[in-house]
């Protein structure tokens, strides 16, 4: 054991195939399994919540309705009247990320939002969608976005690449923000948890000392719950802001 | 003499004294958006949270613009075989793009355009 | 707090990443691993399916429930407003009707009083006229009776005078002279 005392904070992010040989044959990872579970949870919240179709909602129905209303008003406030077209997309995005973040906090689970490949793919979907929307609404007029009206023409060779890079940095910043927050939280969990194990292994005094990192981890769970919500919210509200830009093209 | 006690007069509800049926009905209708509400200025800026989160966003925006600039420069260099030149140019442009991002984030806002 | 924790986390990542550098590096950046890419493929499939299920099936259900509730509340509030208006109208109508009835009652009372007064006046007039007539008649009767009485008194007085004159004076007076004297005496009394 003593040789293995280095903290392996990154092993938790290692991908493996799930669902036995069937999953292995199609390279279905445990990350994808968590995505399936998250999707099933979202769908069953809406299904079981809305099944009574009650005029006066029960608890689960109220939760489903709050979820619907919250995202709907976010779309409507940020994008404007056209926001209802993108509402299902933003809803899917928000709850897919939120469920991924929250499920990742359960022991023995896997946080798919801690993979840059996943967050970057989601961000690319967002950015491709906004670009397609902008092009379909404004046509080639969209490209004036990269050159603000009233800027001196001589600066065009400087402004246009800067604006293009700024536009292209959107998916990168979206994905890095989510990825970094999730990884940081889970690395800290792992590090503090390793401290607990190491100290507990060091004898009676160590067991008392292990209470420190344990308390830290308990506080960290509450903090990470907040971060899970906040990052899902930030990702989807930025999506809404980008969609607003695409629709209104300022 | 004419008795006026049966005339139309707000009847106070026993459940909520001091609030007539008309007021309560008007309030309920306004809440449901049935009657036109008095004009209300809706500020749709949902991102004015704490300074700390703005600070964190600034960092992420700067870094991501730099990454995009560096990646663009690297790939253009590999394509055009101009090894260090475009990379350095695009890293600078990426920094400028990051500043532009940050300016857009915290700079003066001109909504409605 | 947040920035501090995040930066601590980033520091920890970088140190941990350096520690693990010799072995694997961050598994998330291990793009040589086929699972990193297959994960994205499955992500696309799952995300798209979830989107389709949500947008075609689950969210319209919620929307239907919310809309029906909004419609029901709107209907109830409209009904309440209409009922309120109807009640106000009914109350106003009732007040108007009450006022009208009171006015009518007052009018009919005053006409009845006037009619009664007029009738009473007519009756009083008639009664007084009748009384006048009876009075006049009675006066006439009295006058006649008085005249008759006076006439009879004259005869009686004349006879009595002739008797008195005959007894006292022993003379038989001329009847015409006696009548003249009686007339004179009567006239003197009447005067």
């Amino acid at each position: 054991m003593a040789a293995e005392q280095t903290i392996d904070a990154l092993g938790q992010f290692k991908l493996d195939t799930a669902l036995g040989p069937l999953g292995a044959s199609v390279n279905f990872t445990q990350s994808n399994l968590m995505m399936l579970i998250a999707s099933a949870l979202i769908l069953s919240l809406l299904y079981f919540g809305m099944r009574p179709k009650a005029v006066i909602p029960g608890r689960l129905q109220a939760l489903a309705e709050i979820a619907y209303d919250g995202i709907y008003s976010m779309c409507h406030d940020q994008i404007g009247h056209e926001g209802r077209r993108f509402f299902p997309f933003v809803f899917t995005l928000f709850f897919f990320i939120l469920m991924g973040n929250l499920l990742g906090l359960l022991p023995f689970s896997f946080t798919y939002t801690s993979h840059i490949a996943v967050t970057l793919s989601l961000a690319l979907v967002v950015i491709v969608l906004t670009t397609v929307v902008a092009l379909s609404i404004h046509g080639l007029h969209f490209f004036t976005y990269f050159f603000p009206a009233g800027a001196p023409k001589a600066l065009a060779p400087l402004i246009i690449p800067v604006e293009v890079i700024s536009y292209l940095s959107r998916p990168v910043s979206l994905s890095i923000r989510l990825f970094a927050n999730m990884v940081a939280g889970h690395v800290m969990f792992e590090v503090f948890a390793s401290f607990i194990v190491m100290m507990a292994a060091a004898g009676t005094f160590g067991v008392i000392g292990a209470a420190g990192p344990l308390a830290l981890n308990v506080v960290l769970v509450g903090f990470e719950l907040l971060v899970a919500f906040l990052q899902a919210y930030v990702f989807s509200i930025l999506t809404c802001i980008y969609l607003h830009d695409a629709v209104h093209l300022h | 003499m004419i008795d006026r006690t049966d005339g139309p007069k707000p009847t106070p509800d026993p459940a909520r004294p001091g609030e007539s049926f008309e007021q309560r009905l008007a309030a309920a209708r306004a809440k449901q958006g049935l009657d036109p509400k008095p004009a209300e200025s809706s500020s749709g800026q949902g991102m004015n949270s704490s300074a700390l989160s703005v600070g964190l966003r600034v960092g992420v925006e700067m870094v991501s613009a730099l990454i995009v600039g560096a990646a663009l420069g690297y790939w253009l260099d590999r394509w055009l075989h101009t090894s260090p030149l475009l990379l350095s140019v695009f890293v600078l442009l990426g920094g400028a793009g990051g500043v532009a991002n940050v300016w857009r984030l915290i700079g003066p806002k001109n909504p409605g355009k | 707090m947040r920035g501090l924790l995040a930066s601590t986390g980033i520091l920890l990542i970088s140190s941990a990443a350096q520690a693990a550098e010799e072995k694997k590096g961050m598994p998330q950046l291990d793009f040589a691993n086929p699972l990193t890419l297959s994960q994205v493929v499955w992500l696309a499939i799952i995300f798209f399916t979830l989107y389709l299920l949500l947008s075609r099936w689950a969210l319209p259900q919620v929307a239907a429930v919310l809309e029906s509730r909004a419609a029901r509340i709107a209907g109830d509030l409209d009904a309440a407003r209409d009922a309120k208006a109807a009640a106000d109208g009914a109350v106003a109508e009732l007040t108007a009707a009450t006022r009208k009835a009171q006015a009518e009652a007052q009018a009919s009372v005053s006409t009845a009083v006037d009619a009664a007064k007029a009738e009473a006046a007519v009756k009083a007039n008639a009664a007084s006229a009748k009384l006048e007539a009876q009075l006049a008649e009675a006066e006439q009767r009295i006058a006649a009776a008085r005249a008759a009485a006076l006439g009879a008194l004259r005869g009686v007085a004349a006879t009595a005078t002739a008797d008195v004159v005959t007894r006292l004076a022993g003379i038989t007076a001329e009847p015409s002279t006696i009548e003249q004297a009686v007339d004179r005496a009567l006239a003197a009394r009447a005067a």
Side-chain angles (χ1 to χ4, degrees):
Chain A
M1 276 303 281
E4 289 289 316
Q5 283 251 326
T6 51
I7 301 171
D8 181 18
L10 295 172
Q12 58 176 328
F13 303 120
K14 194 176 174 304
L15 286 169
D16 280 310
T17 55
L19 301 178
L22 181 70
S25 65
V26 288
N27 277 353
F28 192 86
T29 62
Q30 84 272 48
S31 155
N32 299 128
L33 182 64
M34 296 310 290
M35 291 177 194
L36 269 188
I37 294 171
S39 305
L41 281 175
I42 297 164
L43 288 170
S44 46
L45 166 67
L46 290 183
Y47 176 69
F48 291 108
M50 299 316 286
R51 200 168 49 172
K53 297 190 192 304
V55 172
I56 298 162
R59 265 183 216 174
L60 204 60
Q61 191 182 340
L63 184 65
E65 285 178 9
I66 286 168
Y68 184 98
D69 252 359
I71 306 296
Y72 189 87
S73 57
M74 181 165 86
C75 282
H76 199 268
D77 291 351
Q78 294 296 328
I79 308 176
H81 193 66
E82 301 88 341
R84 60 179 57 191
R85 278 170 58 203
F86 307 111
F87 163 67
F89 175 70
V90 178
F91 188 92
T92 314
L93 201 60
F94 178 83
F95 279 97
F96 190 73
I97 294 170
L98 179 65
M99 280 297 166
N101 295 350
L102 289 179
L103 285 177
L105 292 177
L106 297 176
F108 305 112
S109 70
F110 186 90
T111 322
Y112 55 79
T113 45
S114 68
H115 265 249
I116 186 76
V118 171
T119 59
L120 189 61
S121 306
L122 292 175
L124 283 176
V125 169
V126 169
I127 228 65
V128 168
L129 176 73
T130 56
T131 311
V132 167
V133 165
L135 278 174
S136 70
I137 291 180
H138 303 287
L140 293 178
H141 193 67
F142 162 68
F143 291 101
T144 61
Y145 185 81
F146 297 114
F147 192 72
K153 291 269 192 295
L155 285 176
L158 188 62
I159 289 177
I160 290 173
V162 166
E163 288 291 329
V164 170
I165 288 174
S166 160
Y167 190 80
L168 291 178
S169 75
R170 282 172 171 188
V172 178
S173 66
L174 265 183
S175 52
I176 287 184
R177 184 180 301 114
L178 178 58
F179 159 75
N181 272 280
M182 287 303 119
V183 169
H186 283 81
V187 165
M188 281 194 280
F189 276 133
E190 186 78 35
V191 169
F192 292 141
S194 307
F195 284 163
I196 299 173
V197 175
M198 285 178 190
M199 284 180 142
T204 321
F205 186 72
V207 170
I208 298 161
L214 180 65
L216 263 176
N217 250 4
V218 170
V219 172
L220 198 58
V221 169
F223 183 69
E224 283 300 310
L225 278 173
L226 185 71
V227 169
F229 270 98
L230 197 71
Q231 287 307 315
Y233 177 77
V234 166
F235 200 102
S236 39
I237 203 159
L238 283 176
T239 302
C240 285
I241 290 172
Y242 295 158
L243 281 169
H244 171 268
D245 284 0
V247 170
H248 298 287
L249 201 66
H250 63 102
Chain B
M1 287 305 280
I2 292 169
D3 186 13
R4 287 191 182 277
T5 50
D6 57 352
K9 168 177 140 184
T11 45
D13 190 77
R16 275 197 271 175
E19 214 181 337
S20 74
F21 180 79
E22 277 99 337
Q23 284 166 324
R24 285 172 51 212
L25 182 60
R29 289 183 67 86
K31 196 178 158 200
Q32 286 296 316
L34 292 173
D35 292 333
K37 268 187 280 187
E40 145 190 15
S41 63
S42 63
S43 56
Q45 284 295 326
M47 281 309 292
N48 38 3
S49 45
S50 69
L52 262 172
S53 73
V54 170
L56 206 72
R57 273 197 70 193
V58 166
V60 173
E61 297 286 351
M62 284 292 295
V63 167
S64 52
L66 266 175
I67 290 176
V68 169
L72 271 180
Y74 179 74
W75 285 107
L76 283 174
D77 268 344
R78 276 187 58 165
W79 182 42
L80 299 169
H81 302 288
T82 52
S83 187
L85 183 70
L86 286 179
L87 177 62
S88 42
V89 168
F90 271 88
V91 164
L92 286 177
L93 287 175
V99 172
N101 280 349
V102 172
W103 177 253
R104 213 164 277 145
L105 182 64
I106 60 171
K109 292 185 173 64
N110 50 344
K113 199 190 167 204
Chain C
M1 169 72 179
R2 192 175 139 59
L4 184 75
L5 275 173
S7 56
T8 321
I10 288 161
L11 276 178
L12 281 168
I13 302 170
S14 51
S15 60
Q18 277 169 2
E21 198 80 55
E22 312 88 62
K23 288 190 278 184
K24 296 181 289 257
M26 283 177 87
Q28 294 99 316
L29 299 179
D30 181 13
F31 291 105
N33 186 349
L35 292 181
T36 309
L37 282 179
S38 73
Q39 173 189 229
V40 172
V41 175
W42 281 110
L43 162 71
I45 294 167
I46 292 168
F47 189 79
F48 188 65
T49 314
L50 178 65
Y51 172 74
L52 280 186
L53 282 173
L54 282 175
S55 63
R56 297 284 149 83
W57 172 72
L59 292 177
Q61 271 187 334
V62 187
V65 170
L66 291 182
E67 270 163 26
S68 75
R69 174 181 311 149
R72 179 161 169 183
I73 291 175
D76 285 358
L77 286 176
D78 278 346
R81 189 194 53 190
D82 294 348
K84 172 72 183 158
D88 284 352
V91 166
E93 207 175 301
L94 178 66
T95 315
T98 310
R99 277 184 200 167
K100 197 179 152 204
Q102 276 168 336
E104 272 174 8
Q106 215 153 31
S108 66
V109 164
S110 58
T111 48
V113 166
D114 285 351
K117 272 185 188 164
E119 202 183 329
V122 166
K123 275 186 185 162
N125 282 348
S128 65
K130 197 174 162 191
L131 285 175
E132 294 277 343
Q134 281 174 346
L135 198 63
E137 197 192 346
E139 276 174 359
Q140 271 182 336
R141 270 210 308 271
I142 290 165
R146 192 175 164 199
L150 277 180
L153 186 69
R154 192 166 162 256
V156 172
T159 314
T161 308
D163 279 356
V164 167
V165 166
T166 307
R167 289 228 192 128
L168 286 177
I171 58 170
T172 314
E174 257 330 282
S176 60
T177 316
I178 291 167
E179 279 175 15
Q180 279 173 358
V182 167
D183 284 347
R184 265 200 314 274
L186 282 172
R189 282 180 75 106

